């Protein structure tokens, strides 16, 4: 049996043979051949027509030898068969093997290079499902630039005859596979006649004219004027190469000298030529070479044979260059409120500036205007300004704060109440020093007193932290062995400032971070330093600003003691030194103090501690199943020690709890942030096992880990929480992960089991099925988290989170698809998000009816309500689309809150 190496050698040899066959497939007559034929004082030479007075004409004549055609066909057949073999599933699986990637992919890469693979057009390309509808459309090629006055015109045919004795009356008749070529433009026909008197070439019979951008066909004569450099014809059909766009024209003129194309009484469609569900008719169309836009007059849009829209003039893009005009509109119907819409208008202000203005109406909130300005004043500077304005929102109730600090809510029924609402977002990015120095701005703001804006209005551009809008200016200088960042960050609180009990995130004015890292032999050194000034604006009754400072230093050193044969042993040490100046804590209320989790006010605190760690890991392998699969076993163990330090008087400035999983058990940071560093005397052990196929791709992965702390956990996140249940526990929950894929199925499961109380603290699972032949897809998922939710009626009572999700996409026919998704809370028995839709999708148009019902919190009434949206999506592919407002995915099972994704991350 041949080895892989032998097969690769044979494949390479076959390519060399193919290239040898290909090299003489087409050749010009050799000088030694007698290619001249004397006729009445004139000579027809191999490359041009010459009269007795030595005048030369633009026409070159070549004759293919009788043995050339079979040779070309043989080479093409060889190439096709080789491509078919290399494209089989077995071959594709084989070349994915990294160990043989360079050698095994050589034949495929060479064949693809020789065959010049098919390329889609940059404008309205053929993609996805359209590839089956537009099979046979020529590939797009970038047009060649050439001078039509100096570039010769070459004519080839099976036979040429005629009288060329007189210069002004020369008639040459070409017949049998006639090709007229100039640059990248080609005319193919059954017959062509050259007239020396008119200086024209006229085709007869079926004629095809093509270039890299387009292909036209006609049965009527096509005239090529050699003096005027024009091509004229009638009753032609055309196809833009690599694109879904095509049509026909009663008359056309291609003026190569002026670089202009003119079509008379022409149509344009994104449908296959034999099934035009829609088309645009124009009395005249003009496109200039090099221009990004064409012009059309007296345009009528037809659906079937019914005219539905007319415009006297249209300016349309022929490239991807931007153009002022209408963008796809969005429409929705919301139960109880009526219709809503958005009509975006794009403004191309300059090559480096543009804007989009979107007037519309929200069913609940009335008139709504969105705007976006994008700019790039310099190569290293980009930015955008995004804004939303609602002139009169009937749902808006503003909170007004008086000069003495009291607040009241305006009566929404009052005729004098001001219901204007607005949102502003600024984003900028500027780079210097070859992008090593980067400054970014992200600033969001709403009207003062509009605390329910984010829950009322779907604002996708808002950066939010703890339900407050982020206002950040950040600079980063990044080098190979160190980096420095400086950030000024504030928040617009989305809670009433009249209540001192309301939690407000701390501003950081500024936060400076420095990181340095290097290696030496087996040592890795890293240092992190931070200086942060926290502040809360106008917190006290006399509008006093509060300030607290934190300084942190964290050097670390790691030593790689052993690394060989898949086994590693590492040792490390890390120091933590943190200092706090926080005398302004005395102004915080008791409720705020409890939220921040500190026991007593201490003006100045210095905390110092250290981490010692040691880790060992190895990888074992064995062949299993059919001996083409590999199973690995990767055990690892880690010891971590951090002594206890009293941190009860340190507030939680930017620290919170962290969700544990397999990998976090091997981390010494038990909390997200540095205001709490847990005491550890812990050994964590775990293992991962994988099943790899013959190409070393994961088919299955299972991980299991648990930690054992030999000391009691004395550092708690919040001193006001009940921590008694954790003090006596030495064992962490058991963390387990499972991911697998088998044929069309993908699995995922994750669980946390608490051995102390013998119950699962959290778990989730999902399975996803995809039938690639029929297109059917479905998935089911479930997640549970103990005490992970709140009672939906009041938002304060803690409840378990127990939710299930189901998604499905069912093709009813090649054109009809039924799809839906539903997520439900089983603990409280309410709908989270339900979506259902049906879609009809043809080659050139699609239509979808979609309904979605999702839960939304009404802050004015302090209760959850259902938001129901229904809409119709209509897409004329390559022309225009009407979207559904507030439903972004009209084709599948992504919902308002949750995307439908493959549940595991194998091989990604």
């Amino acid at each position: 049996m041949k080895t892989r190496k032998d097969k690769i050698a044979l494949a390479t040899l076959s390519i060399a043979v193919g290239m040898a066959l290909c090299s003489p497939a087409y050749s010009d007559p050799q000088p030694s051949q007698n290619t001249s034929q004397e006729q009445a004082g004139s000579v027809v030479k191999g490359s041009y027509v010459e009269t007795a007075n030595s005048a030369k004409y633009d026409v070159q004549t070549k004759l293919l030898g009788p043995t050339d055609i079979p040779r070309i066909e043989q080479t093409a057949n060889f190439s096709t068969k080789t491509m078919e073999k290399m494209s089989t599933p077995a071959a594709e699986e084989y070349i994915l093997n990294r160990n043989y990637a360079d050698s095994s992919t050589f034949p495929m890469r060479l064949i693809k290079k020789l065959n010049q693979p098919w390329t889609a057009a940059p404008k309205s390309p053929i993609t996805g499902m359209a590839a089956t509808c537009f099979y046979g459309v020529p590939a797009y090629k970038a047009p060649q630039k050439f001078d039509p006055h100096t570039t010769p015109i070459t004519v080839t045919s099976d036979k040429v005859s005629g009288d060329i004795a007189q210069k002004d009356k020369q008639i040459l008749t070409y017949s049998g596979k006639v090709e007229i070529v100039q640059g990248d433009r080609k005319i193919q026909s059954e017959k062509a006649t050259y007239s020396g008197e008119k200086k024209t070439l006229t085709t007869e019979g079926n004629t095809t004219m093509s270039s890299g951008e387009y292909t036209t066909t006609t049965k009527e004569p096509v005239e090529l004027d050699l003096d005027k450099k024009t091509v004229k014809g009638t009753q032609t059909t055309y196809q833009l190469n690599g694109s879904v766009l095509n049509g026909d024209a009663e008359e056309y003129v291609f003026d190569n000298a002026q670089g202009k194309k003119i079509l008379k009484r022409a149509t344009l469609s994104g449908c296959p030529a034999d099934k035009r569900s829609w088309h645009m008719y124009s009395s005249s169309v003009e496109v200039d070479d090099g221009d990004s836009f064409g012009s059309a007059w007296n345009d009528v849009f037809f659906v079937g044979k019914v005219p539905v829209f007319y415009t006297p003039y249209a300016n349309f893009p022929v490239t991807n260059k931007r153009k002022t005009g209408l963008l796809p509109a969005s429409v929705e119907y919301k139960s109880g409120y009526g219709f809503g819409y958005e009509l975006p208008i794009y403004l191309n202000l300059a090559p480096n500036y543009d804007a989009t203005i979107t007037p519309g109406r929200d069913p609940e909130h009335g008139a709504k205007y969105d705007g976006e300005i994008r700019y790039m004043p310099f190569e290293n500077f980009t930015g955008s300004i995004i804004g939303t304005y609602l002139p009169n929102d009937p749902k808006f109730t503003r909170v007004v704060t008086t000069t003495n600090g009291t607040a009241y809510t305006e009566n929404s029924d009052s005729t004098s109440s001001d219901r204007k609402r607005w949102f502003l977002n600024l984003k900028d990015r500027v780079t210097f020093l070859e992008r090593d120095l980067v400054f970014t701005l992200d600033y969001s703001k709403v009207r003062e007193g509009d605390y329910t804006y984010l829950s009322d209005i779907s604002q996708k551009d808002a950066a939010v932290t703890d339900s407050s809008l982020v206002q950040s200016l950040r600079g980063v200088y990044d080098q190979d062995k160190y980096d420095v960042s400086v950030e000024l960050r504030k928040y617009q609180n989305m809670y009433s400032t009249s209540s001192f009990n309301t939690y407000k995130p701390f501003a950081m004015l500024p936060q400076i971070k420095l990181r340095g890292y290097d290696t030496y032999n087996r040592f890795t050194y890293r240092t992190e330093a931070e200086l942060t000034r926290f502040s809360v604006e106008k917190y006290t009754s006399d509008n006093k600003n509060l300030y607290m400072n934190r300084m942190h230093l964290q050097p670390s050193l790691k030593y790689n003691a052993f690394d060989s044969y898949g086994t590693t042993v590492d040792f490390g040490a890390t120091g933590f030194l943190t200092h706090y100046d926080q005398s302004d804590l005395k102004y915080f209320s008791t409720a705020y103090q409890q939220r921040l989790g500190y026991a007593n006010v201490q003006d100045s605190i210095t905390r110092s501690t250290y981490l010692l760690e040691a880790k060992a890991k190895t990888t074992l392998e064995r062949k299993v199943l059919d001996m083409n699969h590999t199973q690995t076993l990767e055990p690892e163990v880690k010891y971590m020690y951090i002594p206890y330090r009293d941190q009860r008087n340190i507030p939680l400035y930017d620290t919170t709890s962290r969700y544990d999983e397999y990998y976090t058990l091997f981390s010494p940071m038990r909390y997200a942030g540095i205001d709490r560093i847990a005491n550890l005397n812990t050994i964590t052990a775990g293992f991962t096992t994988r099943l790899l196929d013959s190409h070393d791709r994961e088919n299955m992965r299972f991980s299991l880990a648990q930690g054992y702390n030999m000391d009691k956990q004395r550092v708690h996140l919040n001193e006001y929480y009940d921590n008694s249940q954790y003090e006596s526990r030495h064992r962490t929950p058991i963390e387990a992960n499972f991911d697998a894929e088998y044929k069309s199925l993908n699995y995922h499961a994750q669980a946390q089991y608490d051995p102390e109380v013998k119950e699962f603290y959290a778990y989730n699972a999902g399975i996803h099925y995809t039938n690639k032949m029929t297109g059917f897809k479905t998935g089911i998922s479930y997640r549970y988290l103990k005490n992970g939710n709140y009672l939906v009626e009041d938002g304060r009572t803690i409840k378990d989170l127990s939710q299930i999700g189901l998604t499905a996409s069912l093709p009813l026919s090649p054109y009809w698809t039924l799809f839906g998704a539903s997520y439900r809370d089983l603990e409280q028995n309410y709908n989270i998000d339900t979506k259902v839709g049906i879609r009809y999708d043809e080659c050139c148009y699609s239509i979808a009816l979609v309904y979605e019902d999702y839960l939304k919190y009404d802050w004015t009434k302090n209760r959850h309500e259902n938001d129901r949206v229904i809409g119709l999506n209509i897409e004329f592919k390559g022309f225009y689309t009407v979207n559904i407002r507030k439903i972004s995915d009209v084709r599948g099972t992504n919902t308002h809150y949750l995307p439908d994704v493959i549940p595991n991350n194998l091989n990604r």
Side-chain angles (χ1 to χ4, degrees):
M1 180 175 290
K2 294 183 176 66
T3 64
R4 287 181 173 176
K5 187 175 180 181
D6 295 335
K7 292 179 181 178
I8 295 169
L10 289 174
T12 307
L13 180 61
S14 67
I15 298 301
V17 174
M19 294 179 68
L21 289 173
C22 184
S23 58
Y26 178 85
S27 60
D28 289 333
Q30 300 300 318
S32 61
Q33 296 175 328
N34 183 15
T35 60
S36 300
Q37 179 182 357
E38 297 183 3
Q39 292 188 6
S42 299
V43 188
V44 180
K45 295 188 176 180
S47 58
Y48 57 88
V49 179
E50 184 179 287
T51 63
N53 59 7
S54 300
K56 296 183 181 180
Y57 293 89
D58 310 44
V59 180
Q60 297 181 345
T61 303
K62 294 185 179 180
L63 184 66
L64 284 176
T67 60
D68 293 333
I69 302 300
R71 192 172 297 160
I72 293 174
E73 292 178 351
Q74 291 174 6
T75 305
N77 291 337
F78 163 78
S79 177
T80 300
K81 290 180 179 179
T82 305
M83 178 66 81
E84 290 175 353
K85 290 292 185 183
M86 295 298 293
S87 299
T88 59
E92 300 230 352
E93 294 281 340
Y94 175 76
I95 63 178
L96 287 175
N97 190 313
R98 296 179 181 177
N99 296 328
Y100 294 88
D102 291 342
S103 57
S104 63
T105 60
F106 171 74
M108 171 66 82
R109 287 185 278 116
L110 182 58
I111 288 294
K112 283 187 175 181
K113 182 68 175 179
L114 295 175
N115 280 270
Q116 297 180 346
W118 191 91
T119 304
K123 181 66 179 177
S124 301
I126 298 175
T127 57
M129 176 183 175
T132 60
C133 304
F134 293 89
Y135 180 79
V137 171
Y140 171 84
K141 295 180 181 178
Q144 293 181 8
K145 293 183 178 181
F146 61 88
D147 187 349
H149 299 282
T150 59
T151 304
I153 297 176
T154 302
V155 181
T156 63
S157 67
D158 290 342
K159 183 179 180 181
V160 60
S161 61
D163 183 6
I164 59 174
Q166 299 182 21
K167 174 182 177 182
D168 295 335
K169 297 183 180 180
Q170 290 174 355
I171 299 294
L172 294 178
T173 301
Y174 300 88
S175 57
K177 298 183 179 179
V178 180
E179 285 192 0
I180 305 169
V181 180
Q182 185 182 35
D184 65 340
R185 298 168 184 167
K186 180 188 295 185
I187 300 177
Q188 297 173 298
S189 184
E190 301 170 357
K191 186 178 180 180
T193 302
Y194 169 73
S195 171
E197 181 179 1
K198 297 180 180 179
K199 301 292 180 63
T200 60
L201 275 165
T202 305
T203 69
E204 299 177 35
N206 294 323
T207 301
T208 300
M209 181 170 59
S210 62
S211 73
E213 294 181 292
Y214 61 85
T215 301
T216 71
T217 57
T218 182
K219 294 182 179 180
E220 302 298 322
V222 175
E223 181 184 273
L224 172 62
D225 192 312
L226 302 178
D227 279 346
K228 297 180 180 179
K229 312 301 179 185
T230 60
V231 180
K232 297 180 180 180
T234 59
Q235 305 300 329
T236 187
T237 62
Y238 65 90
Q239 172 71 55
L240 300 186
N241 295 344
S243 170
V244 299
L245 298 179
N246 62 88
D248 52 62
E250 293 187 17
E251 299 179 24
Y252 68 91
V253 177
F254 289 178
D255 190 336
N256 295 326
Q258 299 295 325
K260 186 185 294 291
K261 300 178 181 68
I262 302 175
L263 306 178
K264 299 291 186 181
R265 296 176 294 282
T267 65
L268 174 69
S269 178
C271 303
D274 59 344
K275 193 177 182 181
R276 286 190 178 162
S277 303
W278 65 267
H279 71 273
M280 177 71 80
Y281 171 84
S282 303
S283 64
S284 180
V285 179
E286 291 187 11
V287 179
D288 292 336
D289 291 347
D291 283 359
S292 300
F293 304 95
S295 299
W297 288 267
N298 298 317
D299 309 304
V300 182
F301 182 73
F302 287 83
V303 176
K305 297 182 179 180
V306 180
V308 297
F309 179 77
Y310 168 79
T311 179
Y313 173 77
N315 190 262
F316 57 91
V318 293
T319 67
N320 281 334
K321 189 174 180 179
R322 298 167 297 178
K323 176 70 175 177
T324 297
L326 296 177
L327 296 177
S330 299
V331 181
E332 70 164 312
Y333 176 79
K334 187 171 183 179
S335 59
Y337 295 97
F339 284 95
Y341 69 90
E342 290 177 349
L343 186 62
I345 303 170
Y346 177 77
L347 304 175
N348 186 28
L349 306 176
N352 56 338
Y353 294 87
D354 65 9
T356 303
I357 299 174
T358 307
R361 179 187 182 275
D362 187 283
E364 284 189 80
H365 304 286
K368 181 172 176 280
Y369 302 92
D370 295 297
E372 178 182 12
I373 299 175
R374 299 186 302 177
Y375 46 87
M376 189 173 68
F378 311 104
E379 183 180 357
N380 64 328
F381 186 6
T382 60
S384 66
I385 302 174
I386 299 172
T388 298
Y389 177 68
L390 293 88
N392 187 17
D393 184 356
K395 302 277 287 185
F396 177 39
T397 54
R398 187 165 69 105
V399 177
V400 180
T401 304
T402 63
T403 55
N404 61 5
T406 61
Y408 65 93
T409 302
E410 283 186 330
N411 185 358
S412 60
D413 297 329
S414 173
T415 56
S416 62
S417 62
D418 184 359
R419 298 192 178 97
K420 296 184 181 69
R421 310 181 80 172
W422 53 265
F423 167 82
L424 177 67
N425 174 259
L426 305 178
K427 282 189 173 71
D428 290 297
R429 186 176 190 271
V430 59
T431 63
F432 301 98
L433 305 177
E434 297 182 346
R435 302 181 186 273
D436 288 343
L437 179 60
V438 181
F439 291 97
T440 57
L441 171 68
D442 190 349
Y443 181 92
S444 297
K445 186 174 179 60
V446 299
R447 180 182 179 180
E448 293 294 338
D450 192 354
Y451 300 114
T452 62
Y453 183 91
L454 295 178
S455 58
D456 290 345
I457 311 298
S458 297
Q459 195 70 52
K460 62 180 180 181
D461 307 297
V464 180
T465 297
D466 289 331
S467 298
S468 294
L469 291 172
V470 176
Q471 300 170 349
S472 169
L473 174 62
R474 187 168 186 256
V476 177
Y477 183 64
D478 194 351
Q479 291 294 290
D480 291 339
K481 295 184 178 181
Y482 69 91
D483 60 77
V484 182
S485 68
V486 180
E487 182 178 13
L488 302 173
R489 175 180 290 198
K490 295 176 62 178
Y491 299 93
Q492 182 180 7
N493 300 316
M494 300 304 289
Y495 302 99
S496 172
T497 56
S498 63
S499 174
F500 294 162
N501 296 333
T502 302
Y503 173 73
K504 309 170 186 64
F506 288 99
M508 297 183 295
L509 301 172
Q511 182 177 74
I512 303 172
K513 290 185 177 181
L514 171 64
R515 296 186 303 177
Y517 22 80
D518 203 354
T519 60
Y520 177 77
N521 291 334
R522 292 178 174 269
F523 290 93
T524 301
Y525 173 78
R526 183 182 184 93
T527 297
E528 298 182 16
E530 176 198 307
L531 171 62
T532 304
R533 182 174 176 84
F534 297 103
S535 70
V536 178
E537 290 185 339
K538 301 178 181 179
Y539 180 81
T540 64
S541 58
D542 57 351
N543 292 328
K544 177 182 175 60
N545 297 334
L546 308 184
Y547 297 99
M548 287 70 63
N549 299 321
R550 181 180 70 192
M551 292 165 282
H552 180 74
L553 181 65
Q554 184 176 318
S556 65
L557 181 67
K558 290 189 177 181
Y559 174 68
N560 177 234
F562 183 81
D563 189 350
S564 181
Y565 297 101
T567 300
T568 60
V569 178
D570 298 290
F571 299 95
T574 303
F576 305 94
L577 178 62
T578 314
H579 177 75
Y580 295 87
D581 288 322
Q582 48 188 19
S583 58
D584 282 354
L585 290 180
K586 60 179 175 289
Y587 294 104
F588 284 128
S589 64
T590 302
Y592 208 90
Q593 176 179 342
Q594 293 177 356
R595 179 68 181 264
L596 292 176
Y598 62 97
N600 301 294
V601 175
Q602 188 172 343
D603 292 348
S604 179
I605 299 178
T606 299
R607 179 196 63 194
S608 62
T609 187
Y610 59 89
L611 161 70
L612 301 176
E613 58 183 336
K615 182 180 180 180
K617 182 178 180 179
T618 190
T619 301
L620 308 173
E621 296 183 355
R622 66 170 182 171
K623 293 294 183 180
V624 294
L625 300 179
D626 54 1
M627 304 307 291
N628 286 324
H629 288 72
T630 303
Q631 182 189 9
T632 70
L633 180 62
E634 305 164 31
E636 55 186 318
V637 60
K638 186 174 185 179
Y639 172 76
M640 296 170 287
Y641 176 78
I642 298 178
Y644 168 75
R645 295 292 185 267
D646 187 356
Q647 301 163 59
R648 290 175 297 174
N649 294 335
I650 299 176
L652 301 174
Y653 292 106
D654 56 0
T655 300
T656 185
S657 59
R658 186 182 64 182
Y659 180 77
D660 281 329
E661 44 94 27
Y662 176 86
Y663 296 101
T664 61
L665 288 186
F666 292 90
S667 170
M669 305 306 292
R670 288 291 184 256
Y671 305 105
I674 60 175
D675 296 321
R676 292 290 184 274
I677 298 178
N679 62 296
L680 299 176
N681 188 9
T682 303
I683 295 179
T684 301
F687 71 89
T688 298
T689 181
R690 311 172 199 263
L691 182 64
L692 312 177
D693 65 11
S694 56
H695 308 289
D696 291 338
R697 295 178 304 175
E698 284 185 283
N699 293 147
M700 183 274 294
R701 182 198 310 131
F702 175 73
S703 301
L704 187 70
Q706 186 182 24
Y708 183 84
N709 194 353
M710 289 171 276
D711 296 334
K712 292 182 179 181
Q713 181 54 256
R714 300 172 60 189
V715 177
H716 309 301
L717 182 67
N718 193 314
E719 291 300 314
Y720 296 93
Y721 294 165
D722 182 9
N723 300 295
S724 59
Q725 57 177 322
Y726 302 105
E727 291 181 349
S728 61
R729 295 188 181 183
H730 292 277
R731 292 180 293 177
T732 69
I734 298 174
E735 303 286 345
N737 291 308
F738 174 74
D739 293 287
E741 59 181 26
Y742 177 71
K743 294 184 178 179
S744 299
L745 290 169
N746 285 272
Y747 310 87
H748 168 76
Q750 181 179 358
Q752 293 182 3
Y753 179 75
D754 191 337
E756 300 284 350
V757 296
K758 298 182 180 180
E759 68 175 6
F760 285 96
Y761 174 75
Y763 53 90
N764 62 80
I767 181 171
H768 196 279
Y769 171 79
T770 302
N771 189 318
K772 296 181 180 179
M773 297 296 293
T774 64
F776 173 67
K777 297 187 295 183
T778 186
I780 185 171
S781 60
Y782 177 79
R783 59 176 183 162
Y784 170 83
L785 179 62
K786 187 177 180 61
N787 297 329
N789 203 358
Y790 291 93
L791 187 66
V792 69
E793 284 81 8
D794 62 16
R796 293 184 298 273
T797 306
I798 296 177
K799 301 286 290 184
D800 291 343
L801 184 146
S802 176
Q803 298 174 349
I804 190 171
L806 177 66
T807 64
S809 178
L810 174 64
L812 304 176
S813 73
Y815 302 111
W816 287 96
T817 301
L818 180 67
F819 57 90
S822 182
Y823 299 91
R824 190 167 188 83
D825 191 292
L826 301 181
E827 177 72 18
Q828 303 182 56
N829 194 28
Y830 65 84
N831 169 67
I832 302 171
D833 199 340
T834 297
K835 173 183 175 182
V836 63
I838 187 167
R839 184 176 186 85
Y840 181 80
D841 197 343
E842 273 202 6
C843 296
C844 59
Y845 79 95
S846 65
I847 183 169
L849 178 65
V850 185
Y851 169 81
E852 188 163 3
D853 178 357
Y854 55 89
L855 202 65
K856 183 178 179 181
Y857 195 80
D858 188 337
W859 288 95
T860 61
K861 300 177 182 178
N862 288 323
R863 69 183 186 191
H864 284 85
E865 295 181 346
N866 288 84
D867 208 351
R868 298 180 177 90
V869 178
I870 187 170
L872 193 66
N873 166 253
I874 304 174
E875 179 184 6
F876 298 104
K877 299 180 181 178
F879 182 68
Y880 195 72
T881 301
V882 178
N883 293 315
I884 304 176
R885 195 170 173 271
K886 293 187 179 178
I887 298 181
S888 57
D889 182 14
V890 296
R891 294 178 173 271
T893 51
N894 295 326
T895 67
H896 180 81
Y897 287 120
L898 296 169
D900 182 19
V901 297
I902 301 297
N904 62 51
N905 62 351
L906 296 177
N907 305 306
R908 284 189 291 277

